[in-house]
Amino acid sequence: MSYRTTPSVDYVEDVSPGSGALPPRAWYASSDARSLSLNGSWRLRVSATADAEDDSFAEEGYDAGNWAEVTVPGHWVLQGDGAFGSPIYTNHLYPFPVDPPYVPTENPTGDHLRVFDLPSDWPSDGGAVLRFDGVESCARVWLNGTELGEFKGSRLAHEFTVGELLKPGRNVLAVRVHQWSAGSYLEDQDQWWLPGIFRDVTLLHRPAGSAGDFFVHASYDHTTGEGTLRVDSEVDGRVTVPALDIDVATGESITVAVEPWTAETPRLYDGVLATEGERVPLRIGFRTVVLEDGLVKVNGRAILFRGVNRHEWHPRQGRALDLETMREDVLLMKRHNLNAVRTSHYPPHPAFLDLCDEYGLWVIDECDLETHGFVEQDWRDNPVDDERWTPALLDRAARMVERDKNHPSIVFWSLGNEAGTGRGLTAMAEWIHGRDPERLVHYEGDWNCRDTDVYSRMYASHEEVAKIGQRLDGGTHKRRELPFIQCEYGHAMGNGPGGLADYQELFEKHERLQGGFIWEWIDHGVEHAELGYAYGGDFGEELHDGNFVCDGLVFPDRTPSPGLIEYKKVIEPVLIEGDGTNGTVRVTNKHDFADLSALAFEWSCQVDGETVESGSLAVPALAPGESAEVKLPEPPADGRGGERQWTVRALLADDTSWAAKGHVVAWGQFAVGARPLPSFPATDRPVRDGDRITLGPAGFDARTGALLSIGGVEVGAAPRLDVWRATTDNDDGAEWQTDTRYGMLWRTLGLHRMRHRLVSVEAGDDALTVRTRVAPAAREVGLDTVYRWTSDGERLRLSVSVTPEGDWTVPLPRLGVRFGLPQADRVEWFGGGPGEAYPDTRTASMVGRWQSTVDGLQTPYVRPQENGARADVRWVELGGLRIEGDPEFWFTARRWTTEQLDAARHRTDLTAGDTVWVNLDHGLHGIGSQSCGPGPLPQYFLKAEPVEFSFVFSTAR
């Protein structure tokens, strides 16, 4: 008779943080003590339940030769081509029954094995520590058959003493990882659920007298220009900073003249903490963070956050990021004028914070805590208000603060995100305030600001933000006296976000408003051979939230989206203004700390979008907040009578650590005079010949009035009124919202299936007039539409008049004409570019002469939707045609219909056809941010009202 003894798995559902791990301490990447990376190839066995296998795999001599191989750091569900399960995406719903602290018996469990030898020169004296930087969600650890303990807290470091267990050769490290645990209830962040050892595993030698925990205190007195340094150390030693001639004992303070650290001027001093057995490099930044006069101040100045929320993500590796990917993120942020990061919603890999210190970014470091799923039961049984969970909450707070406390970039500790309110959060805040009074505490859910030092909200509307700025928002007296930040706004899902410039105007107008953080940095698309990038539901999840996980300013491959280009322009730290009539430009320094000495300025003058002259511009090294009027040269003579404008750019004067000389930091553009409109004398009359009407260079169907050709260019589908667009994520909104969601109303009204009724075709003396009525089935509203065609013999003019009929209670998605060309590839236009723009996302649209291909006009959103419009177009050439507008128009061209775009769920659903579909729009509805935030502001609505517009067609030059 045989039987198997299964191990106890009670620890999986224990609300405690675990057992056996050392107290948390400061994290540092290197010292003169030896270390051994245990990253690389590991053996893996995945079981369906937590107790499916016994513990024998942890014993020395266990044969795991038939196990799979995976890479650590990594997630097992992203390796093995699905053999180890699949990712799961939910925004806030727990993908298991809400029965805290219990989890399902179906609990994927990965047994990991790594056999390693110590290097031949590994020191024989002292001890050793085994460090795990991140494991999701619960791990139990053995070394050479001895159990070390178990832990929860996926995005937090855990260390174990292992010195006495090490052998020179064939050390067996065994780690059992459970996907679900009691800790999962505390980790309901809006992201993929991805089990595995996804951060570094490192063996650290601990020689006798080695450094333990230490706390670098480096304050700055802006009134004297002096910094005070004190390093409190668990192990006595000395601190040296050669550049400052500092050599003091730990625990002693010293004050010297220093250059301060800020996000704009990230001055770091290299130092060393030397104990009896170890030398630890220090990178010291002197700065002081205070709450003063109702404002967050650093080094005596109020700061304005131009920030972004950042999840860790890579489309193939998930949250297992390498150093160069992290560096790429920081460099992209700096190059796009961002100055702040909120580490949503957990502490990042500590190397990312090193990069923030080095390149200069303010950081809100957020605890690994979110219990959002409890909102479904009105927060009943929420762990943050259950004292049984408080030790786990305090452990998470301590592991964040102790690990990251020596980073000057961190100005706020955040208690977590969307976890309701409760006693546990208060306990966390009290502990953090006591441990580190030199920083401030943040938490968005504390609207009464009982535990926090700032009033923080997410997705407050422009109207509410304006009231908050004026302190007209009510709330407790304490709250009204605190500064305000939008910890999340501008939901960057799909096309958008819109309205960023309007938010920034409020932030800069009201002192209390200290900026905010766009949600979020990157689309969490999973690279997929068939779909391009997969999102929620593409892996057969029982519950999922679709493409809500793709809401970033950069695409999964880290290509900047139009949203990031727009945000860069909106938050640029130099304002360049002019009206083109008085020969001057006004330059304002919007930095918080830096003057303009690092920038060079240049001017250029354009005629019809082409630069005809350029030069340098002398701008003084303005201090923060200062402005100056700078004289421009005389504009060059223009014999063509074209449209003239100035463009002034602020560029990096020299190479920096984050961008090369010449990198554009800011720009301004303004017209020298009004745009001259083309004259169009109508001289030709329509002539009918059988079933065809000829008017100038054009041919029409005599029965329907449909345009057939212009010159030698065949028209595949005649221009006709179009009001539909493939709804954006922001058009569709979120199902929980009570505000009007226009995408849904548009479909209900039937704007996606408009019918065109021909009323008459009239060939008059000087025009061909086609009258129609455009309306949705089953509704009494319509658009009376008249197309009037005229010609001067060489060109063809289309004038469109639209008169709404009935009670139009919703705005239109778009208003213009759509037509098809059988051949088109190269596109050139004079207007806004180079990228897409919409009424409330057009700040970054620069008027000029631009070129592209039809394919290059498309914006590759992970979920296909309306995209690619160019704003303020004067003329466009494609497919052998030249089209001029009166007034300027919006232009879009693509190789599929709007209906095909609307039906697509992934980019791979779109197949190029034989026709290029062109939209010439008089107006477009705004974008807004309603995929999670507010919709477009009223001034960006496209109202259904009488309107006239026209286009002039000719063959391309």
Side-chain angles (χ1 to χ4, degrees):
M1 178 179 181
S2 63
Y3 61 91
R4 183 182 66 185
T5 301
T6 57
S8 170
V9 293
D10 292 346
Y11 64 91
V12 173
E13 297 175 330
D14 193 328
V15 299
S16 75
S19 63
L22 292 168
R25 65 180 180 121
W27 193 99
Y28 49 92
S30 64
S31 75
D32 64 349
R34 290 294 304 274
S35 65
L36 177 64
S37 173
L38 298 179
N39 295 345
S41 179
W42 289 53
R43 293 289 186 173
L44 173 72
R45 174 184 64 189
V46 177
S47 304
T49 65
D51 59 357
E53 307 288 348
D54 61 28
D55 300 339
S56 62
F57 81 104
E59 300 294 333
E60 298 177 78
Y62 184 88
D63 183 7
N66 62 342
W67 288 19
E69 290 190 50
V70 293
T71 298
V72 169
H75 305 278
W76 72 68
V77 294
L78 294 182
Q79 302 184 58
D81 294 326
F84 310 129
S86 302
I88 299 170
Y89 169 61
T90 61
N91 167 31
H92 76 280
L93 295 174
Y94 290 106
F96 48 80
V98 181
D99 184 23
Y102 305 110
V103 294
T105 300
E106 298 82 13
N107 186 0
T109 295
D111 289 336
H112 296 70
L113 274 177
R114 173 76 152 88
V115 179
F116 65 94
D117 298 333
L118 293 179
S120 59
D121 58 349
W122 185 267
S124 58
D125 64 318
V129 166
L130 180 64
R131 184 177 69 202
F132 294 89
D133 284 317
V135 182
E136 183 176 331
S137 74
C138 173
R140 188 178 181 189
V141 186
W142 295 261
L143 181 62
N144 293 330
T146 298
E147 183 172 352
L148 305 180
E150 83 284 338
F151 62 90
K152 308 177 190 75
S154 298
R155 270 64 73 173
L156 300 162
H158 294 82
E159 293 183 326
F160 297 90
T161 299
V162 297
E164 296 182 354
L165 300 175
L166 288 173
K167 303 182 301 183
R170 195 166 176 79
N171 292 278
V172 178
L173 176 58
V175 185
R176 172 164 284 166
V177 180
H178 306 284
Q179 176 158 19
W180 310 123
S181 70
S184 301
Y185 285 99
L186 305 180
E187 296 174 3
D188 190 26
Q189 293 98 336
D190 174 12
Q191 62 181 341
W192 294 95
W193 299 89
L194 298 172
I197 305 172
F198 68 94
R199 286 187 186 158
D200 305 287
V201 182
T202 311
L203 183 68
L204 303 169
H205 179 230
R206 299 285 79 207
S210 59
D213 190 25
F214 59 90
F215 198 162
V216 177
H217 303 270
S219 61
Y220 179 72
D221 186 339
H222 66 279
T223 64
T224 66
E226 294 178 321
T228 299
L229 176 66
R230 187 186 79 249
V231 178
D232 295 331
S233 179
E234 179 184 6
V235 177
D236 291 343
R238 296 196 69 80
V239 176
T240 55
V241 187
L244 298 174
D245 199 24
I246 288 177
D247 184 349
V248 296
T250 54
E252 293 183 8
S253 296
I254 184 170
T255 300
V256 295
V258 299
E259 297 175 36
W261 189 97
T262 74
E264 296 167 6
T265 56
R267 179 64 164 97
L268 291 173
Y269 291 91
D270 290 321
V272 173
L273 166 63
T275 64
E276 177 185 356
E278 188 176 14
R279 292 173 59 85
V280 181
L282 305 176
R283 303 212 76 191
I284 302 167
F286 290 88
R287 57 104 187 96
T288 295
V289 184
V290 297
L291 182 64
E292 183 178 82
D293 303 324
L295 298 170
V296 178
K297 293 184 179 181
V298 178
N299 301 340
R301 292 179 180 265
I303 60 176
L304 185 65
F305 293 112
R306 301 172 174 91
V308 68
N309 287 272
R310 175 188 175 269
H311 268 298
E312 294 180 309
W313 186 252
H314 187 282
R316 292 186 302 277
Q317 294 144 218
R319 286 188 288 279
L321 299 191
D322 59 90
L323 179 62
E324 287 313 304
T325 299
M326 292 184 256
R327 190 185 306 276
E328 184 179 357
D329 280 348
V330 171
L331 293 178
L332 278 170
M333 291 175 187
K334 293 291 291 186
R335 291 168 186 164
H336 288 85
N337 293 331
L338 278 79
N339 72 355
V341 178
R342 176 178 175 230
T343 69
S344 53
H345 299 292
Y346 43 82
H349 191 293
F352 179 78
L353 300 175
D354 289 337
L355 296 169
C356 294
D357 295 341
E358 177 183 353
Y359 293 101
L361 290 168
W362 307 117
V363 175
I364 296 181
D365 196 2
E366 193 146 272
C367 195
D368 189 9
L369 173 62
E370 181 167 333
T371 64
H372 198 178
F374 285 90
V375 72
E376 293 293 320
Q377 53 203 58
D378 199 25
W379 298 106
R380 187 174 60 257
D381 297 327
N382 185 8
V384 304
D385 200 28
D386 184 337
E387 61 186 12
R388 294 175 300 171
W389 294 79
T390 299
L393 302 181
L394 290 173
D395 179 77
R396 288 170 182 251
R399 290 190 181 277
M400 171 182 68
V401 172
E402 302 296 6
R403 192 197 75 167
D404 297 343
K405 58 183 176 283
N406 294 325
H407 290 282
S409 55
I410 298 173
V411 292
F412 273 98
W413 301 115
S414 180
L415 303 181
N417 183 69
E418 292 177 318
T421 58
R423 293 164 287 176
L425 290 169
T426 299
M428 293 170 70
E430 290 176 347
W431 184 91
I432 292 173
H433 276 123
R435 177 57 174 147
D436 184 18
E438 298 168 358
R439 292 183 176 92
L440 305 178
V441 170
H442 166 271
Y443 177 66
E444 183 273 337
D446 183 14
W447 285 18
N448 289 326
C449 303
R450 179 182 65 178
D451 302 320
T452 58
D453 299 310
V454 63
Y455 178 32
S456 177
R457 290 282 302 283
M458 55 176 69
Y459 307 109
S461 68
H462 296 81
E463 180 182 10
E464 184 179 4
V465 169
K467 289 181 179 179
I468 294 170
Q470 300 170 74
R471 302 186 191 277
L472 299 176
D473 54 304
T476 63
H477 174 74
K478 178 184 178 183
R479 190 181 89 180
R480 292 197 304 274
E481 296 301 311
L482 292 179
F484 174 82
I485 63 171
Q486 283 250 66
C487 69
E488 294 180 22
Y489 81 110
H491 198 251
M493 183 177 177
N495 188 334
L500 297 185
D502 307 274
Y503 273 119
Q504 193 68 20
E505 182 179 351
L506 293 171
F507 295 159
E508 295 177 4
K509 179 179 180 180
H510 301 289
E511 184 182 53
R512 185 190 185 193
L513 308 179
Q514 293 199 251
F517 298 78
I518 297 298
W519 185 268
E520 63 161 304
W521 176 241
I522 188 168
D523 286 344
H524 300 203
V526 176
E527 196 171 272
H528 193 284
E530 297 175 2
L531 303 175
Y533 291 109
Y535 51 74
D538 289 333
F539 296 99
E541 299 101 307
E542 183 179 40
L543 296 172
H544 67 86
D545 286 284
N547 68 310
F548 199 70
V549 77
C550 296
D551 46 13
L553 291 173
V554 298
F555 298 127
D557 64 357
R558 285 178 161 75
T559 300
S561 76
L564 181 57
I565 305 303
E566 174 79 357
Y567 194 38
K568 175 188 178 180
K569 175 63 178 166
V570 165
I571 61 175
E572 60 189 10
V574 181
L575 179 63
I576 301 171
E577 302 171 290
D579 60 15
T581 59
N582 61 4
T584 64
V585 61
R586 184 174 182 83
V587 178
T588 303
N589 183 1
K590 296 164 71 172
H591 287 98
D592 294 325
F593 297 94
D595 64 23
L596 298 187
S597 59
L599 300 179
F601 290 78
E602 66 176 25
W603 62 268
S604 60
C605 186
Q606 291 82 37
V607 176
D608 289 340
E610 292 185 297
T611 297
V612 295
E613 199 168 329
S614 63
S616 61
L617 188 67
V619 176
L622 301 170
E626 288 186 344
S627 299
E629 295 280 345
V630 181
K631 183 69 174 175
L632 289 166
E634 288 296 318
D638 173 32
R640 294 182 291 176
E643 180 179 353
R644 295 190 297 169
Q645 65 188 17
W646 291 104
T647 303
V648 176
R649 294 176 173 87
L651 319 169
L652 287 181
D654 296 292
D655 291 347
T656 69
S657 63
W658 49 270
K661 176 182 178 180
H663 169 79
V664 177
V665 173
W667 58 270
Q669 195 174 57
F670 36 94
V672 175
R675 173 198 172 198
L677 294 176
S679 62
F680 192 90
T683 59
D684 281 25
R685 62 177 297 171
V687 176
R688 179 162 183 167
D689 182 8
D691 59 359
R692 188 179 180 93
I693 294 176
T694 300
L695 177 61
F700 296 83
D701 184 300
R703 184 178 62 84
T704 64
L707 177 68
L708 301 175
S709 64
I710 302 175
V713 178
E714 298 295 322
V715 177
R720 67 176 187 173
L721 192 74
D722 189 19
V723 299
W724 182 244
R725 72 184 186 199
T727 54
T728 69
D729 294 313
N730 287 306
D731 290 336
D732 293 335
E735 62 182 11
W736 64 82
Q737 291 172 327
T738 57
D739 294 346
T740 301
R741 297 159 57 197
Y742 284 106
M744 179 176 63
L745 290 184
W746 292 338
R747 291 186 194 277
T748 300
L749 185 59
L751 299 189
H752 61 307
R753 46 177 175 77
M754 299 290 274
R755 299 290 182 263
H756 299 250
R757 177 168 61 85
L758 179 63
V759 176
S760 66
V761 178
E762 305 165 8
D765 290 339
D766 62 349
L768 173 65
T769 303
V770 181
R771 302 182 186 277
T772 67
R773 186 175 189 272
V774 183
R779 306 292 176 182
E780 62 179 354
V781 297
L783 299 169
D784 182 74
T785 306
V786 179
Y787 309 93
R788 189 172 187 270
W789 297 95
T790 57
S791 176
D792 65 357
E794 294 184 354
R795 298 175 297 168
L796 184 70
R797 183 185 186 107
L798 168 63
S799 298
V800 183
S801 65
V802 180
T803 304
E805 298 177 343
D807 185 15
W808 283 88
T809 59
V810 300
L812 297 172
R814 71 177 347 125
L815 183 65
V817 296
R818 176 171 63 163
F819 66 98
L821 291 173
Q823 302 254 344
D825 186 33
R826 179 180 170 275
V827 184
E828 184 174 357
W829 74 99
F830 173 29
E836 75 178 26
Y838 289 82
D840 53 349
T841 68
R842 65 193 300 175
T843 309
S845 181
M846 177 182 285
V847 173
R849 288 274 291 269
W850 307 104
Q851 293 184 4
S852 177
T853 62
V854 170
D855 292 340
L857 293 173
Q858 314 310 308
T859 303
Y861 295 114
V862 175
R863 185 192 75 82
Q865 55 199 273
E866 166 62 34
N867 74 90
R870 268 56 179 181
D872 303 312
V873 176
R874 281 73 163 160
W875 56 258
V876 61
E877 292 185 356
L878 82 163
L881 289 182
R882 180 183 176 92
I883 306 161
E884 299 175 74
D886 180 14
E888 293 91 354
F889 59 98
W890 307 81
F891 162 73
T892 310
R894 53 178 66 101
R895 298 188 187 279
W896 35 78
T897 65
T898 298
E899 291 73 23
Q900 289 168 330
L901 183 64
D902 196 27
R905 301 273 67 84
H906 295 88
R907 300 179 199 170
T908 51
D909 295 334
L910 294 170
T911 303
D914 296 330
T915 301
V916 170
W917 294 95
V918 180
N919 277 92
L920 310 175
D921 288 311
H922 175 70
L924 293 169
H925 188 65
I927 295 296
S929 187
Q930 203 171 2
S931 51
C932 194
L937 287 166
Q939 60 263 38
Y940 304 118
F941 280 31
L942 180 58
K943 297 179 181 178
E945 55 191 10
V947 69
E948 293 186 11
F949 52 92
S950 65
F951 304 101
V952 176
F953 296 82
S954 60
T955 53
R957 298 172 182 174

